[in-house]
Amino acid sequence: MINWNFPPNNYGQITGLNDAGIETFRGNPLDSLAREINQNSCDAKDTKNNGPVEVHFTLVYVPAQFFPERDRFISILNSCREYWQDNAKTKQFFENALSIMELETIPFLKISDYNTTGLTGASEGQRGGWHNLIKSVGSSDKDSQSGGSFGIGKHAPFACSNLRTVFYGTKEVDTGTEAFQGVAKLVTHLNENDEPTQGTGYFGMIEKNRPITETAEINELFRRSDVGTDIYIAGFNEKSEWEDEIIKSVLENFFIAILNEKLIVKVADTTINANSLAGLLEKYTKKDPECLSYHYYEAYTLSNRYHFSNKDFLGLGEIDLFVLPGKDLPKRVAMVRGMGMKIYDKGSFRTPFKFAGVLIAKGEGINDFLRKIEPPTHNAWEPDRHENPEEAKAIIRKLYSWINEQVRSITVVTDEEELDVEGLSQYLADKDDPSLEVQAQQEIVQNSSEGEKAAPKDIEIDINYRKMKQTVFVGINDSIDVYQETAAGAEDPEDVQESGDGSTEGSVRGSGGEDNKGQDTSGHKDQRGNSTGTENEGNNSAAPSKNVRLVRSRIFCIDPNASLYKVSIQTDVEGSGYIGIKVIGEVGGEPAPVKSVIVQQTGESVIIGKNGKIGPVSFYKDKKSDLLVTLKGSLRCALEVAIHAN
């Protein structure tokens, strides 16, 4: 007999409306639906068919009389409402469901895949893909290259149904067997014998809740002619822009599978394949700040991108990395597993340039490992989920380290491509600004209170991205503290918040000033050799307050073969001081192996002291100081001006 059947619960556990599996995908149901459906279809690829997997999303309106056993289903909805009449939320859900069942036509989202194996084992009882999809919960038998590992993704379609009801149809590849069955994830209610039921019921053969396998007994609307699987989401929660949401999800998450011609997706009248991908990415994602797939597409396809490969990473198989530098790119890497679905966007790169990247885990071993540390939503890698969390954390650290190493190795540009030191470019004038092209040294003159020419002041510029504090020591007793506000926990220089004019400003505080309670904590000595630090407490000879601004700091490579870099610095305070050059990475910086430093304007060599301290170097407020820095060995790296105490 064919009908709806909710097995009794034998007066055991009562099931409410808040199904944990469905709630997992309620936050963004259409995005979750597209991810889970396309992933499952790719996992079911028919290996004997050379064509790509195809998945079609189509909204259809089924006449109410063709809803499988409609009258019986309506009576079940009424019983659910009555059983939970004291629960306002549940009662409202079933009142809405009953109103949908009274419509002349009921919206169904039909999802069909092709070039797949279909759901196998429909007639095998407790085995096969059919049983795993329809009746099992929290289990999966997929291999390492497959996307799912929890068996929870099957709940995603229910999150898109206002009836919490989904129908499945399939035609198997080997036997040609057709099968059809419905699943409703509702709530405990009383059946016709006044017995409490389980929350999940089935449409099909009541005996053992088996699927319908006799072709003649399957309604023509739900018949499957080609090998593959159909999913019908009954009472689809249709929105005016449902197609756009699914298209964006496909573009964001499956661009690699589509580019590699492993997947074609059709959403209503829009076909997403390798040929249409670029245009659709530009249309749907290029101008959306929340979408990064257009940048990843460029990183994967453009000829000027960098490609790195490790054929056997930690003995787990091959990984590939594609990186494209560019000033407007998001500094993110798409983390993609073997089947071609993006898992998440990796950020927190501390580099002086922006880029977009794509990491693809191809090896069977690495895919098997990564599957084990993904949550049910497959949007992160969480080592604590592994049976050996410490081992998993070590592998992930090494993976991230490998990515960082490759990114750092490409931070070299040609002499025509200046490399922006992040967080400083907003202060810099154009390189073609004639006001900065003064080649002759200008005499440094400052009138003292008596109108006499004073000697040049010693300046030390402290630049620290992490603490966001810059200290400039001026002359004998003056210290200038320059602060930049930064968001709490900011990990990248780009997170810095600047003042409205794009500058960093502060005030001069004398050694006896109020801010430092009469102390000059610099520890410097005056011209007589007396300490101006803590030994000089109470010295009240502070200079008047004034503002200072770091105007220019830029580093770029001019000859990668010779490891030759150009460092340009400009301040609004003239004088001389010391700087340091660091190689920067994700976990901080280390002194660069500097071989020589030459002042470009004069050709003079600059002394390289202990711990990489370079100087003294002259600075100017009306023009830039250019240093030609040569590193030891053939080193390709990202550089920054770093901290050095005087």
Side-chain angles (χ1 to χ4, degrees):
M1 179 180 177
I2 298 175
N3 212 325
W4 285 98
N5 180 44
F6 282 74
N9 70 355
N10 198 25
Y11 296 90
Q13 181 174 309
I14 301 298
T15 303
L17 196 62
N18 294 325
D19 183 285
I22 297 174
E23 291 299 319
T24 300
F25 302 102
R26 286 290 297 275
N28 198 343
L30 290 174
D31 176 66
S32 299
L33 176 71
R35 284 173 60 89
E36 295 297 331
I37 291 294
N38 285 292
Q39 169 195 290
N40 290 337
S41 294
C42 288
D43 292 345
K45 172 76 169 71
D46 180 7
T47 57
K48 298 178 182 178
N49 191 315
N50 294 327
V53 169
E54 290 194 30
V55 181
H56 298 180
F57 293 80
T58 309
L59 180 62
V60 296
Y61 291 89
V62 176
Q65 64 268 27
F66 292 119
F67 189 97
E69 294 294 333
R70 173 173 174 265
D71 292 340
R72 170 63 177 157
F73 190 73
I74 290 175
S75 70
I76 291 169
L77 295 178
N78 276 311
S79 180
C80 291
R81 181 181 61 176
E82 293 172 8
Y83 191 91
W84 293 85
Q85 59 182 334
D86 295 331
N87 186 302
K89 177 183 176 181
T90 304
K91 182 179 178 181
Q92 178 61 42
F93 172 85
F94 285 103
E95 287 179 348
N96 182 61
L98 286 165
S99 67
I100 293 173
M101 293 303 297
E102 296 300 327
L103 297 173
E104 292 185 3
T105 59
I106 299 173
F108 278 66
L109 183 65
K110 179 183 178 182
I111 308 171
S112 305
D113 65 27
Y114 303 89
N115 295 333
T116 62
T117 62
L119 287 170
T120 61
S123 58
E124 295 181 10
Q126 305 301 309
R127 297 178 299 172
W130 183 272
H131 174 77
N132 285 333
L133 177 64
I134 304 299
K135 293 184 180 179
S136 69
V137 177
S139 65
S140 175
D141 60 356
K142 294 181 178 181
D143 60 28
S144 64
Q145 294 291 331
S146 301
S149 58
F150 287 86
I152 295 177
K154 68 191 72 175
H155 292 84
F158 292 92
C160 299
S161 169
N162 285 329
L163 299 174
R164 297 278 284 265
T165 301
V166 177
F167 295 91
Y168 303 89
T170 194
K171 185 172 183 178
E172 293 184 30
V173 65
D174 293 327
T175 65
T177 300
E178 292 185 50
F180 181 77
Q181 193 167 13
V183 180
K185 292 185 177 293
L186 303 179
V187 294
T188 293
H189 58 278
L190 298 179
N191 61 19
E192 58 274 12
N193 298 322
D194 286 334
E195 297 174 322
T197 69
Q198 299 178 22
T200 300
Y202 305 91
F203 172 79
M205 307 298 296
I206 292 181
E207 182 184 6
K208 298 183 179 180
N209 289 316
R210 293 184 293 109
I212 303 170
T213 55
E214 294 293 331
T215 303
E217 295 177 338
I218 302 175
N219 189 300
E220 284 291 335
L221 288 173
F222 304 106
R223 287 281 306 276
R224 176 81 193 197
S225 58
D226 300 321
V227 171
T229 300
D230 292 328
I231 296 177
Y232 298 87
I233 302 176
F236 175 59
N237 186 10
E238 56 179 322
K239 301 178 181 178
S240 59
E241 298 180 353
W242 70 268
E243 299 104 321
D244 290 353
E245 290 191 40
I246 292 179
I247 289 171
K248 279 188 176 182
S249 179
V250 173
L251 294 174
E252 278 292 286
N253 297 296
F254 294 95
F255 61 94
I256 292 296
I258 293 168
L259 268 174
N260 293 340
E261 298 186 342
K262 294 181 179 180
L263 176 67
I264 294 174
V265 180
K266 186 174 181 180
V267 183
D269 296 326
T270 301
T271 300
I272 309 172
N273 57 28
N275 294 326
S276 65
L277 183 63
L280 292 173
L281 284 168
E282 185 166 4
K283 176 181 178 181
Y284 286 95
T285 71
K286 185 176 182 179
K287 297 181 180 179
D288 188 339
E290 296 184 359
C291 296
L292 303 179
S293 50
Y294 183 84
H295 303 304
Y296 294 147
Y297 167 80
E298 291 187 317
Y300 190 66
T301 61
L302 292 184
S303 59
N304 60 328
R305 54 95 168 113
Y306 294 81
H307 177 205
F308 305 93
S309 181
N310 188 318
K311 297 300 182 182
D312 194 15
F313 177 73
L314 300 179
L316 297 173
E318 184 177 1
I319 57 175
D320 277 341
L321 177 66
F322 302 84
V323 182
L324 177 69
K327 64 179 182 179
D328 297 322
L329 297 179
K331 199 190 280 190
R332 296 291 185 270
V333 171
M335 310 298 275
V336 179
R337 282 218 285 113
M339 79 297 187
M341 183 176 80
K342 183 189 77 174
I343 304 302
Y344 70 101
D345 306 298
K346 182 190 182 314
S348 299
F349 290 94
R350 295 171 192 154
T351 63
F353 75 112
K354 292 188 175 183
F355 63 92
V358 178
L359 175 86
I360 304 178
K362 293 183 176 180
E364 183 174 347
I366 189 69
N367 273 276
D368 183 56
F369 163 74
L370 295 173
R371 283 178 70 243
K372 294 178 180 179
I373 62 174
E374 288 175 15
T377 50
H378 306 292
N379 59 359
W381 287 334
E382 301 171 350
D384 284 334
R385 292 180 176 273
H386 198 270
E387 59 266 22
N388 188 337
E390 293 306 314
E391 177 186 353
K393 290 177 184 178
I395 293 175
I396 289 297
R397 279 196 298 267
K398 290 177 181 178
L399 177 62
Y400 290 169
S401 177
W402 182 82
I403 296 172
N404 295 332
E405 181 182 350
Q406 311 317 313
V407 170
R408 286 195 297 267
S409 75
I410 65 167
T411 57
V412 172
V413 291
T414 68
D415 55 353
E416 297 179 355
E417 297 177 302
E418 289 196 1
L419 183 60
D420 247 354
V421 179
E422 274 197 56
L424 296 175
S425 60
Q426 61 265 43
Y427 313 138
L428 312 183
D430 240 357
K431 67 178 181 179
D432 297 324
D433 187 342
S435 67
L436 298 177
E437 295 303 321
V438 180
Q439 298 299 319
Q441 292 267 356
Q442 295 183 352
E443 180 179 345
I444 302 174
V445 178
Q446 178 171 343
N447 292 331
S448 64
S449 58
E450 292 80 21
E452 297 174 353
K453 293 183 179 180
K457 296 182 177 181
D458 287 336
I459 304 172
E460 174 155 328
I461 298 179
D462 241 353
I463 301 174
N464 187 339
Y465 276 121
R466 298 301 299 150
K467 295 181 180 179
M468 295 304 161
K469 177 180 178 181
Q470 305 167 1
T471 302
V472 182
F473 297 107
V474 182
I476 301 174
N477 292 323
D478 297 344
S479 72
I480 301 173
D481 285 343
V482 184
Y483 291 90
Q484 279 184 318
E485 292 182 356
T486 180
E491 292 191 353
D492 291 322
E494 66 188 8
D495 292 329
V496 177
Q497 301 172 357
E498 288 115 18
S499 58
D501 64 355
S503 67
T504 58
E505 296 187 353
S507 62
V508 177
R509 296 180 296 180
S511 59
E514 182 178 348
D515 289 332
N516 56 17
K517 299 181 181 179
Q519 299 180 14
D520 178 1
T521 58
S522 68
H524 290 287
K525 296 184 178 181
D526 64 17
Q527 291 175 338
R528 301 178 183 88
N530 297 322
S531 171
T532 61
T534 57
E535 296 178 343
N536 249 354
E537 282 192 33
N539 184 351
N540 214 12
S541 59
S545 293
K546 58 184 177 181
N547 292 330
V548 66
R549 185 172 60 178
L550 179 63
V551 177
R552 183 181 181 92
S553 178
R554 179 167 290 187
I555 306 174
F556 57 96
C557 182
I558 58 177
D559 188 347
N561 294 325
S563 295
L564 180 61
Y565 293 78
K566 182 176 179 179
V567 178
S568 295
I569 295 176
Q570 182 184 354
T571 71
D572 66 348
V573 177
E574 298 181 344
S576 62
Y578 298 84
I579 65 169
I581 305 295
K582 281 190 176 182
V583 176
I584 60 175
E586 183 169 358
V587 293
E590 57 184 27
V594 179
K595 180 179 180 181
S596 65
V597 179
I598 296 174
V599 178
Q600 184 175 15
Q601 285 88 344
T602 65
E604 296 178 357
S605 295
V606 181
I607 298 173
I608 304 172
K610 295 181 179 180
N611 299 322
K613 191 174 184 180
I614 301 170
V617 178
S618 297
F619 303 102
Y620 309 97
K621 68 177 182 179
D622 295 323
K623 64 178 181 179
K624 59 184 178 179
S625 299
D626 293 329
L627 305 177
L628 300 180
V629 178
T630 302
L631 302 184
K632 298 176 182 178
S634 181
L635 180 65
R636 304 170 63 193
C637 57
L639 300 177
E640 69 174 357
V641 179
I643 301 172
H644 271 282
N646 196 357

